[in-house]
Amino acid sequence: MSREQREAIRQLRASSPLDLGGAVHEQRALFEQLLSHHPVPEDVIVTEAHYDTIPGLLVERAEEPCVGTVLYFHGGAYVLGSARSSLGIVADLARRSQTRVITIDYRLAPEHPAPAATDDAVRAYRALISSGADPQRVVVAGESAGGGVALGLLAALSCADEPMPAAALLFSPWVDLTLSGDSMTVRAEEDFILNRTALERRVRDYLGDASAAEQHSPLFADLHGLPTTLIQVGSDEVLLDDSTRLAARLVAADVSVTLDVTAQATHVFQSFAASWDEADAAMTRAATFVRTTLKP
């Protein structure tokens, strides 16, 4: 890893006015500005679409045959972000994996508390399948809170005995709203993206009553019957234990899972693939997983 590359990312974050634990109405615009600075490549087409009543964006490479569909859920701690703010990482994934990627605008808290995000994910997935998409040609993916939304969707499908997608791809998933992982403390000094104080406020926004945190944490759901899963996470994340414990629970549920940990990387580092060698390599591995899973 280039120390200079990592330090440049740290400095970029330090100079940003974004406060993930700040007032929602102020931070939403800042979050969009921070994540929207990545230009969409000229060979990528972005089309507005709806899945059921859920708005989203269809992202695909121009004149490039696709091997399947990725249904993607953006990050933002359940209160920030949008389909458009995820375009940087989504366009990169679409190009590398040779898929079309659908990124949706699930409802945000505190206006729409739990389980609104998961409910929207379920409706969008059902609409996608009803439109003719073969579940075995679909990968469900998400970053951070979006990873939690993706896992919540899969648990809901399993509970309802509905057709599963071919696979799941999770980038730094936030799946434990109780914030009980040891890494919340052990990795606090290294993680320059997230911190416990910010996450605690977002949990309150999403749940209203923190006593419901375990109930709405997909980490503690019944994970039997889920599809093969790739989890990517950085070793410097306060959410590291969300990924390690999720991998262990998937193994216990007889689910095929790969836990891909990148040393000294922080939260959703894949979004820096254009300027961070390890992030570029991780995105290549993620795209290969998707493409291989969907290969005829």
Side-chain angles (χ1 to χ4, degrees):
M1 172 183 295
S2 166
R3 184 176 301 176
E4 291 77 13
Q5 289 175 338
R6 186 177 187 279
E7 184 59 27
I9 301 301
R10 180 190 289 273
Q11 291 300 324
L12 178 66
R13 178 66 186 91
S15 64
S16 170
L18 179 68
D19 176 6
L20 289 173
V24 170
H25 69 281
E26 297 175 353
Q27 301 309 314
R28 281 180 177 163
L30 292 172
F31 191 83
E32 293 293 325
Q33 292 171 10
L34 180 66
L35 270 68
S36 299
H37 71 279
H38 299 289
V40 176
E42 292 183 359
D43 63 342
V44 170
I45 299 173
V46 179
T47 308
E48 294 185 358
H50 281 77
Y51 303 89
D52 193 333
T53 60
I54 315 301
L57 299 173
L58 172 61
V59 182
E60 51 194 341
R61 194 169 182 178
E63 301 180 1
E64 180 80 20
C66 68
V67 300
T69 302
V70 175
L71 181 60
Y72 194 89
F73 303 100
H74 67 81
Y78 293 101
V79 304
L80 310 174
S82 66
R84 192 157 295 276
S85 71
S86 70
L87 275 179
I89 195 168
V90 161
D92 193 12
L93 181 60
R95 297 175 83 239
R96 295 181 192 236
S97 64
Q98 297 176 304
T99 60
R100 62 173 188 156
V101 182
I102 297 165
T103 175
I104 72 163
D105 276 312
Y106 57 85
R107 288 171 294 169
L108 300 178
E111 298 92 336
H112 305 284
T118 302
D119 287 349
D120 286 355
V122 171
R123 289 166 57 201
Y125 177 82
R126 287 173 175 165
L128 176 63
I129 302 307
S130 295
S131 72
D134 179 354
Q136 288 305 299
R137 310 299 299 163
V138 175
V139 171
V140 168
E143 65 185 82
S144 192
V149 173
L151 187 63
L153 161 64
L154 295 173
L157 294 176
S158 178
C159 182
D161 198 26
E162 296 187 41
M164 280 286 176
L169 170 63
L170 307 177
F171 296 136
S172 302
W174 184 20
V175 294
D176 177 13
L177 301 180
T178 71
L179 307 179
S180 59
D182 290 342
S183 57
M184 290 298 303
T185 302
V186 175
R187 305 292 177 173
E189 292 296 321
E190 289 81 9
D191 193 335
F192 52 83
I193 302 293
L194 292 181
N195 61 77
R196 177 186 286 275
T197 300
L199 292 175
E200 286 175 342
R201 180 164 186 180
R202 302 296 65 122
V203 168
R204 292 195 298 271
D205 287 336
Y206 185 52
L207 300 180
D209 181 0
S211 65
E214 183 171 339
Q215 172 190 347
H216 291 287
S217 295
L219 175 66
F220 306 117
D222 183 352
L223 303 179
H224 287 84
L226 268 61
T228 183
T229 301
L230 171 62
I231 305 168
Q232 289 190 339
V233 67
S235 69
D236 282 356
E237 298 198 42
V238 294
L239 293 180
L240 173 62
D241 282 2
D242 282 42
S243 289
T244 58
R245 288 179 296 157
L246 174 58
R249 284 184 53 78
L250 287 170
V251 169
D254 294 321
V255 176
S256 177
V257 58
T258 300
L259 177 62
D260 181 350
V261 182
T262 295
Q264 295 185 293
T266 191
H267 195 59
V268 195
F269 64 99
Q270 299 87 344
S271 61
F272 300 107
S275 56
W276 192 342
D277 292 342
E278 278 71 15
D280 178 67
M283 281 298 294
T284 296
R285 294 193 298 274
T288 299
F289 168 79
V290 171
R291 195 167 55 249
T292 301
T293 299
L294 297 176
K295 186 176 180 180

